[in-house]
C-alpha cells in the first residue's frame, strides 16, 4: 500500500518479517500517528492480535503464520504456539487457516520463515486479483458504500473490499466512496479514510446509521464489504452492522458484494449461524476517546461481528472470479 510518512512516499504491507522479528503497522494509533511495532515471541504476536495492533481477517491470518515462524525460531513447541495463537480472536477464519497452513508445513519439515513468507505473499497476491475481478463491476461515476476497514491494513496489501476500489481508481474511473465510520472502534473513520487519503480516492465518512438514508435517496450505486468467515452456503460474518446494510441494500435494489480470498472460506460450516461471533468488552461502547458517554451504571453489549445471510448477497468477489453464493466450492479457490 502507498503510505506518505515524514514527507516521503513508501510502499509497505500491513505486517512483514524482518529477520527474527515480526513488524506491524500499529493500527491502534492511526490516523494520527504512523508507527511500526515489533514482536519477537509468540506471546507478543498473540497480544498484538488481541489488542488489535493488527486486525482484519487476512492480516490476522498473516500474523498467525508469522507467529508460527517465530515459534520455530525461538524453539517453542509448535502445537502449543498454535493453540495460543488460535485463542486470540474467534471469528476470522484466516487465523485458523494461516496457523494450520504452518502446522502442515512443519509436519513436512519445512523452514517456517520461508513457509510463512510464501503464505503471506500468496494471500496478498490473491487480494490483488480480487481487485482485478471486482474492478469489472465498477462503472465510471459509481458511488460505493463500504463498511469497517477491508483495505490493505486488514489484508496485508491491496484490500478485499478496497482492492476493486483501488483498481478502479488506478484505472482512471471517477468513483466516490462512502465509508461507514464503524462504531465502536471506528475502523471506517480511522483506517479506511486514512487509506483512501493516501491514494487520493474521493470519499466521505458517514455515521453508521446514515447508510440507509443515502441508499433511499439514490446516492449509492453498489456496496462492497469484506468478510471474516464465509460458510459453505455463502452466509458470511463481517464487522457488526454489515447485516443491516445488506438488508437495506436489498430493500433499495442496490447490488451488495462481499470480497474475500480462499483463506476466509470455512467450508466445514454449512450455514453462517454456526460462525462463532466475538463479543468484546463493554467499555469499547461506553467510552469514546477515554470519556464515559453514558451513566456510570449503564451496561453495554458489544458483538464485534454479525452474520449476513447469503440471500442478501449479489456476489462474492474472490481471486478466482465472482460467484453467486450457491456456486462456491472449495476446488475453485485453491
Ligand atoms: O475487528 P476487526 O477490525 O478485525 O474486523 C475487521 C472486519 O470486520 C473486516 O471487515 C474483515 O476482516 C474483512 S476485510 C479483511
Amino acid at each position: 500500500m502507498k503510505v506518505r510518512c515524514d514527507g516521503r512516499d513508501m510502499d509497505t504491507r500491513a505486517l512483514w518479517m524482518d529477520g527474527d522479528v515480526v513488524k506491524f503497522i500499529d493500527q491502534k494509533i492511526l490516523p494520527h500517528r504512523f508507527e511500526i511495532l515489533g514482536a519477537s515471541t509468540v506471546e507478543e504476536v498473540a497480544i498484538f492480535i488481541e489488542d488489535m495492533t493488527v486486525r482484519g481477517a487476512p492480516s490476522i491470518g498473516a500474523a498467525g503464520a508469522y507467529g508460527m515462524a517465530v515459534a520455530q525460531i525461538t524453539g517453542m513447541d509448535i502445537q502449543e504456539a498454535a493453540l495460543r495463537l488460535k485463542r486470540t480472536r474467534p471469528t476470522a477464519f484466516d487465523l485458523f487457516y494461516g496457523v494450520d497452513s504452518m502446522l502442515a508445513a512443519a509436519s513436512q519439515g519445512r523452514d517456517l520463515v520461508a513457509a510463512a513468507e510464501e503464505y503471506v505473499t500468496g494471500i496478498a497476491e490473491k487480494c490483488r486479483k480480487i481487485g482485478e475481478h471486482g474492478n469489472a463491476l465498477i462503472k465510471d461515476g459509481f458511488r460505493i458504500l463500504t463498511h469497517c476497514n477491508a483495505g490493505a491494513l486488514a489484508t496485508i496489501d491491496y484490500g478485499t473490499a478496497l482492492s476493486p476500489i483501488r483498481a478502479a481508481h488506478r484505472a482512471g474511473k471517477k468513483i466516490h466512496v462512502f465509508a461507514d465510520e464503524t462504531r465502536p472502534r471506528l475502523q471506517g473513520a480511522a483506517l479506511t479514510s486514512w487509506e483512501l487519503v493516501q491514494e487520493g480516492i474521493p470519499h466521505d465518512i458517514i455515521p453508521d446509521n446514515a447508510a440507509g438514508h443515502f441508499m433511499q435517496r439514490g446516492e449509492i450505486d453498489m456496496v462492497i464489504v469484506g468478510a471474516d468467515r464465509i460458510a459453505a452456503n455463502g452466509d458470511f460474518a463481517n464487522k457488526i452492522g454489515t447485516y443491516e446494510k445488506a438488508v437495506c441494500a436489498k430493500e433499495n435494489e442496490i447490488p451488495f458484494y462481499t470480497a474475500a480470498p480462499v483463506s476466509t472460506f470455512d467450508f466445514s460450516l454449512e450455514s453462517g449461524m454456526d460462525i462463532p461471533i466475538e463479543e468484546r468488552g463493554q467499555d469499547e461502547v461506553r467510552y469514546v476517546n477515554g470519556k464515559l458517554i453514558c451513566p456510570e451504571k449503564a451496561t453495554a453489549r458489544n458483538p464485534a461481528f454479525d452474520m449476513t445471510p447469503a440471500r442478501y448477497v449479489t456476489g462474492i468477489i474472490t481471486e478466482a472470479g465472482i460467484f453467486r453464493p450457491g456456486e462456491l466450492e472449495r476446488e475453485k479457490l485453491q
Side-chain angles (χ1 to χ4, degrees):
M1 95 187 85
K2 273 194 203 165
V3 171
R4 189 153 181 84
C5 184
D6 297 333
R8 70 189 173 92
D9 291 323
M10 51 191 269
D11 206 345
T12 180
R13 287 180 171 178
L15 67 166
W16 62 95
M17 196 125 186
D18 183 2
D20 291 355
V21 180
V22 190
K23 295 280 179 77
F24 300 90
I25 295 177
D26 185 353
Q27 300 193 35
K28 299 189 305 304
I29 59 172
L30 284 171
H32 305 298
R33 284 183 319 200
F34 181 86
E35 281 175 22
I36 310 296
L37 298 178
S40 46
T41 65
V42 170
E43 187 56 26
E44 284 170 356
V45 174
I47 288 170
F48 281 158
I49 300 172
E50 283 166 349
D51 75 5
M52 295 178 70
T53 296
V54 59
R55 32 74 43 207
S59 284
I60 297 174
Y66 282 145
M68 293 295 285
V70 168
Q72 194 178 61
I73 293 168
T74 56
M76 182 174 178
D77 178 75
I78 293 293
Q79 301 294 339
E80 212 178 289
L83 286 176
R84 174 66 186 102
L85 291 163
K86 286 181 179 184
R87 267 203 317 273
T88 51
R89 296 194 72 192
T91 303
F93 189 63
D94 296 69
L95 174 65
F96 304 90
Y97 191 91
V99 170
D100 286 342
S101 299
M102 292 308 107
L103 282 176
S107 72
Q108 293 160 5
R110 289 194 62 194
D111 168 36
L112 291 191
V113 175
E117 210 49 71
E118 200 177 286
Y119 173 86
V120 171
T121 299
I123 299 293
E125 175 57 17
K126 289 177 199 308
C127 288
R128 192 190 64 72
K129 285 193 182 142
I130 285 172
E132 276 178 9
H133 293 300
N135 180 19
L137 298 167
I138 299 175
K139 297 200 179 105
D140 197 35
F142 257 25
R143 296 150 304 171
I144 305 162
L145 176 76
T146 191
H147 189 66
C148 192
N149 170 260
L153 290 165
T155 68
I156 305 158
D157 208 350
Y158 303 106
T160 49
L162 286 197
S163 190
I165 288 169
R166 262 180 227 284
H169 176 73
R170 287 178 186 178
K173 293 179 194 171
K174 284 200 178 17
I175 54 169
H176 190 90
V177 176
F178 285 87
D180 290 331
E181 60 180 351
T182 318
R183 277 275 289 154
R185 293 190 63 107
L186 301 174
Q187 289 95 329
L191 305 177
T192 297
S193 181
W194 180 78
E195 287 195 35
L196 295 174
V197 165
Q198 300 296 319
E199 293 259 353
I201 301 177
H203 66 284
D204 288 305
I205 299 163
I206 60 170
D208 289 325
N209 39 14
H213 165 80
F214 287 113
M215 289 190 201
Q216 196 180 47
R217 298 283 159 122
E219 293 195 39
I220 291 172
D221 299 297
M222 76 187 296
V223 182
I224 316 180
V225 297
D228 285 85
R229 193 183 295 225
I230 304 178
N233 68 348
D235 294 350
F236 74 102
N238 190 50
K239 181 52 57 192
I240 189 74
T242 302
Y243 170 46
E244 58 193 46
K245 305 298 175 282
V247 175
C248 250
K250 194 170 180 107
E251 157 79 8
N252 290 283
E253 296 177 13
I254 296 166
F256 180 96
Y257 290 90
T258 184
V262 59
S263 47
T264 307
F265 288 81
D266 184 354
F267 288 103
S268 76
L269 300 184
E270 272 176 32
S271 120
M273 285 312 279
D274 300 327
I275 299 175
I277 299 291
E278 175 181 13
E279 184 144 354
R280 297 182 61 84
Q282 52 176 321
D283 282 352
E284 286 186 355
V285 177
R286 288 169 17 99
Y287 287 82
V288 171
N289 285 338
K291 190 172 180 322
L292 187 67
I293 57 160
C294 58
E296 178 63 50
K297 285 194 174 147
T299 56
R301 295 287 301 274
N302 185 17
F305 303 96
D306 60 23
M307 191 280 285
T308 300
R311 63 179 177 279
Y312 294 108
V313 179
T314 311
I316 307 181
I317 310 168
T318 73
E319 65 271 24
I322 300 161
F323 298 95
R324 303 274 311 160
E327 285 175 350
L328 269 162
E329 290 146 40
R330 189 191 307 263
E331 295 66 42
K332 291 192 174 138
L333 293 178
Q334 289 313 318

